[in-house]
Amino acid sequence: MPITGLREQVIEFASAVAEAAAEAFLADADAAAPERSGELKRSRYGPTLSFVRENVIRATCGYSAPQAEWTDQGTRSHPIVARRAKSLRFFWDNGPDGPGWYNFPAVNHPGFEGSGWFTDLVVNWEDYVQSAVEEGGVSWAPPISSLAS
């Protein structure tokens, strides 16, 4: 005789585990994220749980601010052009006339080497989840491995 409501209880428990894991991941991500203005951490979203197919629960979370990708992956050198104003205004410590404010219609950004703060975290979490799942004798297909490649 089947146990009444067992499937629903298992789904409820699995959902709670997925949500707790996503919250723990975000806590680690918040600790690793560069903090300058606080905009990056304020752009955090999730976790949102969804059922991909029977027996598969996905927890979606991350950061929506554009600098999330830039600080993680870096950027190539690129021009920055004033669009909404006549010029860009920068404080330049080593300017030609000494420290001070300078205006330019455009500048060439030298690029930025990302720190890998998010990609490294994803890889570490995938390894952690994989080992935990193997200890439990369950199969695992990491949905986020493409971020780390």
Side-chain angles (χ1 to χ4, degrees):
M1 182 163 128
I3 300 174
T4 306
L6 179 60
R7 182 176 191 283
E8 289 77 18
Q9 290 176 10
V10 169
I11 289 172
E12 185 178 330
F13 177 74
S15 297
V17 169
E19 187 169 16
E23 286 291 352
F25 174 83
L26 285 171
D28 285 355
D30 280 347
E35 188 170 346
R36 188 169 179 181
S37 67
E39 183 181 355
L40 178 60
K41 288 185 183 180
R42 285 192 303 274
S43 77
R44 176 180 136 163
Y45 62 87
T48 302
L49 300 182
S50 58
F51 292 88
V52 180
R53 59 185 181 275
E54 189 173 356
N55 302 328
V56 177
I57 299 171
R58 175 178 292 152
T60 305
C61 57
Y63 298 85
S64 61
Q67 63 266 39
E69 183 178 358
W70 305 332
T71 57
D72 181 57
Q73 303 289 319
T75 64
R76 294 181 178 171
S77 60
H78 58 279
I80 301 174
V81 180
R83 286 193 229 169
R84 292 183 223 136
K86 290 181 180 180
S87 64
L88 303 168
R89 185 169 169 88
F90 296 97
F91 187 85
W92 193 358
D93 284 328
N94 301 320
D97 295 327
W101 290 97
Y102 291 84
N103 296 314
F104 301 98
V107 296
N108 288 317
H109 190 286
F112 173 76
E113 185 175 333
S115 65
W117 67 273
F118 192 79
T119 303
D120 293 346
L121 187 65
V122 168
V123 169
N124 290 338
W125 265 79
E126 281 185 353
D127 292 346
Y128 170 76
V129 170
Q130 177 66 37
S131 63
V133 166
E134 286 172 356
E135 288 175 16
V138 180
S139 62
W140 157 255
I144 51 181
S145 59
S146 62
L147 279 175
S149 56

